[in-house]
Amino acid sequence: MITLIKYAVCFAIIFAVLLYIYGWVAESEREIAEEKAEEKYRREIENWKQTAQHPMVLIKELDGEEFVLRRR
């Protein structure tokens, strides 16, 4: 009976350690995913700012000729 209790305690300790490690890894993965999403958002905002600072107008004439006006 004492051997069974020792195994149960040992199993509980190992389970607790593994659960802690899993939680730590899951939290790290979540933080990395948030940082990547934030970086992607910042890049998208920067692209929109660049587009707003350098607008282009595409003009297509009736005869099919196209040209682009760009502000520099």
Side-chain angles (χ1 to χ4, degrees):
M1 184 68 179
I2 292 179
T3 306
L4 183 62
I5 293 172
K6 287 181 182 178
Y7 280 124
V9 169
C10 183
F11 179 73
I13 291 171
I14 291 172
F15 181 73
V17 168
L18 289 176
L19 191 62
Y20 174 76
I21 291 172
Y22 174 76
W24 180 63
V25 169
E27 180 69 22
S28 297
E29 294 270 335
R30 186 184 62 78
E31 289 176 1
I32 290 170
E34 284 179 356
E35 289 173 2
K36 285 182 180 180
E38 188 175 322
E39 180 63 30
K40 182 179 177 184
Y41 177 74
R42 273 192 246 124
R43 277 196 314 265
E44 191 67 29
I45 293 295
E46 187 61 34
N47 287 342
W48 278 101
K49 285 180 182 178
Q50 289 294 326
T51 302
Q53 291 174 357
H54 305 288
M56 296 184 335
V57 177
L58 177 65
I59 299 174
K60 187 171 187 177
E61 294 182 356
L62 291 177
D63 63 358
E65 186 177 337
E66 295 181 5
F67 60 95
V68 177
L69 298 177
R70 291 188 177 106
R71 189 181 120 213
R72 294 187 189 242

